[in-house]
Amino acid sequence: GIDHRRWLSQINPKLDALIRDCTGGDQYLLHPEALKDFEKSVDDKTVLKQLEDIKIENKRRFAAWVARESGVTLNTDAIFDVQVKRLHEYKRQLLNVLHIIHLYNQLRDNPNMEFTPQTYLFGAKAAPGYHVAKQIIQLINSLAGQIAKDPVCKDKLQVVFLENYRVSLAEKLMPASEISEQISTAGKEASGTGNMKFMMNGALTIGTLDGANVEMHQQLGDENIFLFGLTTEQVNQRKRDGYRPHEIYLHNQDLKRILDQITAGFDDKVAYPDLSNRLLFGAGGSQADEYMLLADFDSYCDAHRRALAAYADRQHWNQMSLINIARSGIFAADRSIQDYARDIWH
């Protein structure tokens, strides 16, 4: 579990104050189940407005910090969509990239389309010898540069790879996040705790039924999380049946275009044929698209459309955010240690 004293109270003081106002004190600091009382305010428009204002302030504060650290100006009017975790193929940062290129192509094809402004934030470290992970990091930065210089994307689409992802950065980022990307291939993530920290700070999850997302879904129900993708059993069945990603490539024109773009590279003249070949044919003994990115692509795009539709209804979104916060107490480390003491150590 996670420590809500640090990952909520300490890093998000305005939210902490709002919870205390709504629950009659600071009981949740020692009894995390007391967070449930916050849900009683789910229909209180004043509280929902305060919750939204806190998020806006946190976004602005984070953007000011990023500007000081790296000189990058974040669009705080855009939804902050965040994927921060170790860079690993099974965590599927590359699936996130495929979707961003899909959005970029839409804007290029139709510059005047209705488009919810979106800022995609990545943060990750990779093992020094993990060549594929390093290529994915370079691709994210290539794409970020391409989008940043294209006038069609101005104030609409932005990608930023945050340098040197670490706890002190996470403490500033999590209170500012609105969408939490938890998109590992079902059956691959042992647990994960970042997803709980995002939930506790009111971000909504786009995720697969994998790792701790499973327990989060049990707490939230279908209506307060954006699930997508194959289940663990479906992944295993697809592989048993003989999964052929190249057939998806041939029949999905959208995906074919995206993979061809990765193969050719963007305006910085860096090409990534190794990455597209891994997905289509496998490499170095690995299966083609071992982590089922192409199989889950359409479902993932649909989850994003659902999330943006919810985001457009501000009251509904803020209610979902409040419910996520109120139901996050079960993920406190205090609760898991209590369970160990009672059920295992006696």
Side-chain angles (χ1 to χ4, degrees), residues 89 94 97-98 131-140 259 262-263 271-283 289 293:
E89 286 166 276
L94 189 51
V97 170
L98 297 180
H131 179 64
V132 178
K134 301 286 183 169
Q135 282 189 311
I136 294 169
I137 291 173
Q138 189 175 0
L139 172 61
I140 294 168
L259 289 169
I262 290 172
T263 302
Y272 300 91
D274 291 359
L275 292 178
S276 46
N277 283 336
R278 280 183 91 78
L279 294 177
L280 295 175
F281 309 110
D289 192 16
L293 280 68

Side-chain angles (χ1 to χ4, degrees), residues 19-124:
I19 290 167
R20 291 176 193 226
D21 284 349
C22 293
T23 61
D26 62 0
Q27 304 94 317
Y28 89 93
L29 295 180
L30 290 178
H31 303 285
E33 63 278 5
L35 270 173
K36 282 186 179 156
D37 290 342
F38 189 37
E39 196 167 336
K40 292 172 184 167
S41 303
V42 74
D43 294 317
D44 186 324
K45 290 185 176 172
T46 307
V47 171
L48 295 174
K49 180 71 171 72
Q50 285 177 279
L51 190 63
E52 179 164 33
D53 290 345
I54 290 165
K55 184 65 75 177
I56 291 167
E57 189 180 326
N58 288 337
K59 286 172 71 177
R60 288 177 180 154
R61 187 182 299 117
F62 180 70
W65 181 82
V66 169
R68 286 196 305 273
E69 288 285 306
S70 65
V72 173
T73 303
L74 297 180
N75 179 12
T76 53
D77 293 328
I79 188 167
F80 278 13
D81 184 305
V82 181
Q83 188 173 17
V84 289
K85 52 183 73 237
R86 235 169 12 97
L87 201 308
H88 199 291
E89 286 166 276
Y90 85 79
K91 292 180 185 287
R92 301 204 292 188
Q93 284 91 347
L94 189 51
L95 176 59
N96 195 343
V97 170
L98 297 180
H99 174 251
I100 295 167
I101 297 172
H102 160 75
L103 295 176
Y104 178 54
N105 289 340
Q106 283 187 320
L107 276 173
R108 294 281 304 173
D109 293 344
N110 186 2
N112 298 317
M113 69 182 287
E114 257 189 53
F115 193 90
T116 304
Q118 295 160 63
T119 289
Y120 287 86
L121 299 169
F122 291 87

